[in-house]
């Protein structure tokens, strides 16, 4: 394993609780225990090799991971930034997909905030953005390419109730490209 770099990534569910039990203070007697206000992320930062072994890692393997970093949870503001500014963001991918059908896809500021807020509730980091956008645009991807629509703006209402908004758009009179020829 010389000249090799191991990168281990994942959600180590319950590891924080294991560390909390190890570093937690216990009291004897009738006094009320003090509430610990540290988050699970703060406990993960205190994880030792022994904690990882008790969690289920092989000692030989965990010994080859001398540097350990804990990532902070992404908030809605972080997710908004990822959605708007990251190279190849999921929103840009959807814009490219819709552009292939001659439809310019945009999103209102309100919609971006709503998408980021819902993605944060998913607790899956930036992957939550894909989940929310897929739920929002799934039916639009199938219905709109054959329509006369040239521009689609993602609104807050569209994110909250995509099927209702699509039905409203269709009822408003989107014409099929095939019926125009």
């Amino acid at each position: 394993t010389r000249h090799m770099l191991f990168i281990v990534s994942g959600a180590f569910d319950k590891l924080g609780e294991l560390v909390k039990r190890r570093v937690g203070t216990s009291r004897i007697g009738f006094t009320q225990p003090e509430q610990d206000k540290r988050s699970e992320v703060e406990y993960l930062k205190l994880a030792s090799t022994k904690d990882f072994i008790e969690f289920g890692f092989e000692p030989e393997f965990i010994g080859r991971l001398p540097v350990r970093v804990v990532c902070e949870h992404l908030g809605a503001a972080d997710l908004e930034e990822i959605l708007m500014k990251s190279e190849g963001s999921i929103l840009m991918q959807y814009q490219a997909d819709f552009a292939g059908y001659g439809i310019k896809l945009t999103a209102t500021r309100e919609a971006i905030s709503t998408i980021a807020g819902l993605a944060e509730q998913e607790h899956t980091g930036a992957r939550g953005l894909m989940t929310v956008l897929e739920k929002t645009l799934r039916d639009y991807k199938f219905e709109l390419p054959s329509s006369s629509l040239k521009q689609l703006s993602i609104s807050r209402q569209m994110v909250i109730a995509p099927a209702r908004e699509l039905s409203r758009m269709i009822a408003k009179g989107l014409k099929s490209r095939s019926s125009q020829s």
Side-chain angles (χ1 to χ4, degrees):
T1 58
R2 189 179 167 134
H3 303 296
M4 291 181 76
L5 173 65
F6 291 98
I7 299 176
V8 179
S9 171
F12 299 100
D13 197 31
K14 308 292 183 212
L15 179 60
E17 291 175 18
L18 196 144
V19 175
K20 183 176 181 177
R21 278 194 307 252
R22 179 178 56 82
V23 300
T25 57
S26 59
R27 296 180 181 229
I28 299 175
F30 296 104
T31 60
Q32 183 71 17
E34 207 174 287
Q35 289 289 357
D36 192 346
K37 293 178 178 32
R38 286 188 268 197
S39 70
E40 186 167 347
V41 171
E42 291 174 296
Y43 280 110
L44 287 174
K45 290 177 181 178
L46 299 173
S48 68
T49 300
K50 183 179 176 188
D51 296 320
F52 283 99
I53 292 169
E54 189 175 328
F55 187 68
F57 282 97
E58 291 293 323
E60 295 79 16
F61 179 72
I62 200 67
R64 299 195 185 279
L65 302 173
V67 178
R68 299 174 192 134
V69 177
V70 177
C71 297
E72 300 287 333
H73 293 284
L74 294 173
D78 301 317
L79 293 168
E80 274 188 53
E81 185 139 343
I82 290 168
L83 190 60
M84 297 303 297
K85 297 180 181 174
S86 69
E87 185 178 326
S89 80
I90 189 69
L91 181 58
M92 289 177 192
Q93 291 173 37
Y94 274 106
Q95 288 170 330
D97 290 347
F98 277 87
Y101 295 108
I103 300 170
K104 181 179 180 186
L105 179 68
T106 59
T108 66
R109 190 78 197 124
E110 231 179 12
I112 297 294
S113 295
T114 304
I115 291 166
L118 292 171
E120 181 182 25
Q121 292 172 13
E122 292 286 325
H123 299 289
T124 56
R127 289 180 186 94
L129 294 169
M130 185 185 321
T131 302
V132 174
L133 277 170
E134 180 60 26
K135 284 179 187 175
T136 301
L137 297 173
R138 178 182 305 130
D139 293 334
Y140 290 81
K141 291 189 298 187
F142 300 109
E143 294 290 333
L144 298 184
S146 62
S147 75
S148 61
L149 189 74
K150 296 289 182 206
Q151 185 163 345
L152 175 64
S153 180
I154 303 171
S155 66
R156 183 177 187 282
Q157 284 299 14
M158 196 171 143
V159 175
I160 293 169
R164 183 181 70 216
E165 289 299 304
L166 180 59
S167 295
R168 187 185 63 73
M169 288 174 73
I170 291 171
K172 210 173 173 181
L174 284 179
K175 295 177 189 144
S176 169
R177 285 188 181 151
S178 59
S179 69
Q180 290 176 342
S181 1

